[in-house]
Amino acid sequence: MKKIQAIRGMNDLLPDDIATWQYLEKTVTSTLARFGYREIRFPIMEQTHLFKRSIGEVTDIVEKEMYTFDDRSGESVTLRPEGTASCVRACEQHGLLYNQTQRLWYMGPMFRYERPQKGRYRQFHQIGIETYGLEGPDIDAELLMLSHNLFQALKLDDCVALEINSLGSDTARAQFREALVVYLNEHKDELDEDSQRRLTTNPLRILDSKAAATQTLLDGGPSLLDYLDDESKAHFATLKQLLDAAGVPYRVNPRLVRGLDYYGRTAFEWVTDKLGAQSAVCAGGRYDNLVEQLGGKPTPAVGFAMGLERLVLLLQAQQVVPAEAENTLDVYLAAVGDVQASALSLAKSLRESLPQLRLMMHCGGGSFKSQLKKADKSGASVALILGEDEAANDCVVVKYLREDKPQQSLARTELAAVLAHYGPPR
């Protein structure tokens, strides 16, 4: 019988990798809490027209990548390809936006039907940060300072770089789009195949083409920054001043655009050269028109999303996860002989008196030697050895596996004091 495999591009997260994931998630969420952001959760499946109205009918996501199907009632539904539209829908549905400000974050899986490769999967995970009701460049600057702080906390700030741009107003983008199309039509034969297709559907996406010849061609074309309206120019100038004052390094990239139709004014990406072709690890910008576009009152908004798979790859490549974060065990309790009842009782009392202690009790029998091998392999700092003699005398042997200390025999009542300093840092 053929073995059942995971769907292509949808990966299992195995125990050996989970420590890195948990370290990443804990670091990010604790930083967000320090900045005053609150968590929101929403379904992984929405009505299809939510994404068509928000992302744009002629984007690659809607045209080629969404997991869309009819449910049993005949309604078209879609597994969420990104989180912003769902966040707006949830906030608007539950009255969190009108005449209010919100600073929110969410975390979970997204789904896009793409060609799987390292750092790009069909089920992938994001942490998204969204703010509503704030229109000045100060909140844009705070988000960029927050993301900079996140990379510092993760010890990745030396291998990522911030790129920023302004996409201007709808009118400014339309004027630039017209000029860009005129220019590129004059050189259509020099464009790569994908850019030729986008020329009639979504020409701004040609700006971030990976084809070297297309990028060279764009050097002689119009620049979006030359078409900015006065308000967008002032907004962008103030944003740069605030970033300078906060000590957040950045580079202006006039070709930086976003793949979703709802973005305007501020756009940014954190990029790295450590992951090959998948260079963006965090991206976002302003989307002041999206709430109204989805049926709500006009509401300024700005946010970003971080791809967790790429950040995990980066953490592993840079080897910056602390050793204590990867160790998931403090104590291994070896039970040698007919002492299972005593071992269970001991484990229970230690977990109750030391709730931070990560303790595993050996099960399944085995020799003293084999149990000590398993204790050492487990990564535990300490092995507790409970044999029939120890159980009879109400004591336990303590063997230090990672420290140069002699083993000792202690009364059960003394154990809690000896083990009190073990456990994850609080």
Side-chain angles (χ1 to χ4, degrees):
M1 184 180 295
K2 183 178 180 181
K3 288 185 178 180
I4 298 175
Q5 302 277 331
I7 297 171
R8 185 167 181 253
M10 298 185 178
N11 301 325
D12 302 305
L13 302 180
L14 302 180
D16 285 347
D17 293 322
I18 287 296
T20 304
W21 280 80
Q22 290 177 338
Y23 169 73
L24 169 60
E25 292 164 0
K26 182 179 178 180
T27 304
V28 172
T29 55
S30 64
T31 301
L32 291 169
R34 290 194 295 109
F35 274 74
Y37 284 69
R38 299 187 300 159
E39 184 181 6
I40 185 172
R41 302 185 185 187
F42 36 79
I44 64 170
M45 189 163 60
E46 301 272 6
Q47 297 178 46
T48 300
H49 69 263
L50 169 66
F51 300 115
K52 287 188 174 181
R53 284 170 59 182
S54 60
I55 296 172
E57 294 271 7
V58 295
T59 57
D60 286 351
I61 294 175
V62 170
E63 286 185 328
K64 300 187 297 184
E65 297 172 2
M66 293 202 313
Y67 279 89
T68 298
F69 55 93
D70 290 344
D71 66 12
R72 291 191 176 186
S73 67
E75 182 177 24
S76 181
V77 295
T78 297
L79 296 177
R80 62 188 186 197
E82 57 95 39
T84 299
S86 292
C87 192
V88 170
R89 193 271 311 148
C91 290
E92 179 61 24
Q93 180 176 337
H94 297 286
L96 301 182
L97 296 182
Y98 185 58
N99 280 340
Q100 301 173 69
T101 61
Q102 299 288 352
R103 289 174 165 91
L104 304 171
W105 69 269
Y106 51 85
M107 176 168 57
M110 310 293 166
F111 303 85
R112 297 184 192 177
Y113 189 86
E114 299 185 279
R115 183 171 62 85
Q117 53 187 295
K118 185 178 181 180
R120 184 187 290 273
Y121 308 110
R122 291 177 178 173
Q123 176 178 314
F124 58 100
H125 298 77
Q126 288 185 339
I127 288 182
I129 291 84
E130 316 287 359
T131 71
Y132 301 102
L134 299 162
E135 61 182 352
D138 52 348
I139 187 62
D140 302 26
E142 186 198 62
L143 280 177
L144 293 171
M145 185 170 66
L146 186 159
S147 54
H148 184 233
N149 195 284
L150 285 173
F151 289 118
Q152 288 179 319
L154 292 167
K155 299 180 178 60
L156 295 176
D157 49 309
D158 287 340
C159 53
V160 295
L162 173 62
E163 296 185 348
I164 63 173
N165 193 21
S166 177
L167 305 179
S169 64
D170 291 346
T171 301
R173 281 196 307 283
Q175 292 172 345
F176 169 70
R177 182 183 188 278
E178 183 179 347
L180 181 66
V181 169
V182 169
Y183 172 76
L184 292 178
N185 269 321
E186 295 173 354
H187 304 274
K188 188 173 182 179
D189 293 342
E190 301 172 52
L191 292 172
D192 61 279
E193 183 178 346
D194 198 40
S195 294
Q196 289 182 2
R197 178 183 61 82
R198 284 175 167 165
L199 189 56
T200 57
T201 58
N202 197 352
L204 293 187
R205 291 291 289 161
I206 298 174
L207 296 179
D208 63 2
S209 168
K210 300 299 186 290
T214 297
Q215 283 297 321
T216 300
L217 180 63
L218 289 168
D219 288 339
S223 171
L224 178 55
L225 294 177
D226 294 334
Y227 288 81
L228 292 185
D229 54 290
D230 290 341
E231 286 188 10
S232 295
K233 286 180 181 177
H235 187 102
F236 195 47
T238 303
L239 171 62
K240 290 186 288 184
Q241 292 170 4
L242 292 172
L243 293 177
D244 291 338
V248 178
Y250 63 89
R251 180 177 77 89
V252 175
N253 178 1
R255 294 183 191 168
L256 174 61
V257 292
R258 305 296 305 121
L260 311 176
D261 280 359
Y262 52 67
Y263 283 106
R265 286 196 179 173
T266 305
F268 60 88
E269 286 186 355
W270 286 91
V271 298
T272 181
D273 60 2
K274 308 297 184 184
L275 296 179
Q278 306 308 320
S279 61
V281 293
C282 172
R286 274 209 162 265
Y287 52 98
D288 293 337
N289 297 328
L290 182 57
V291 176
E292 185 177 15
Q293 186 179 325
L294 293 178
K297 300 288 185 182
T299 304
V302 59
F304 66 83
M306 311 177 77
L308 297 191
E309 278 84 357
R310 295 183 190 179
L311 287 175
V312 166
L313 288 172
L314 201 53
L315 286 168
Q316 292 172 337
Q318 300 303 302
Q319 298 181 329
V320 293
V321 178
E324 59 267 22
E326 296 184 341
N327 182 23
T328 60
L329 202 61
D330 303 306
V331 174
Y332 192 97
L333 174 54
V336 185
D338 189 15
V339 295
Q340 284 74 24
S342 295
L344 283 167
S345 173
L346 175 60
K348 180 175 182 291
S349 64
L350 286 174
R351 290 180 181 126
E352 288 175 347
S353 60
L354 301 171
Q356 85 284 359
L357 192 69
R358 299 169 296 186
L359 181 150
M360 177 185 289
M361 191 187 92
H362 180 86
C363 295
S367 68
F368 171 70
K369 184 176 181 180
S370 68
Q371 289 194 41
L372 277 191
K373 282 185 177 180
K374 289 184 177 180
D376 187 54
K377 189 177 180 181
S378 74
S381 300
V382 172
L384 299 181
I385 303 166
L386 181 67
E388 293 177 350
D389 289 344
E390 285 79 19
N393 293 303
D394 211 21
C395 65
V396 181
V397 173
V398 180
K399 183 176 181 62
Y400 298 94
L401 301 175
R402 316 294 165 204
E403 301 170 84
D404 187 17
K405 292 182 180 180
Q407 71 178 37
Q408 55 188 146
S409 180
L410 298 174
R412 283 182 55 160
T413 55
E414 299 177 292
L415 274 179
V418 172
L419 301 176
H421 68 282
Y422 290 99
R426 299 184 186 184

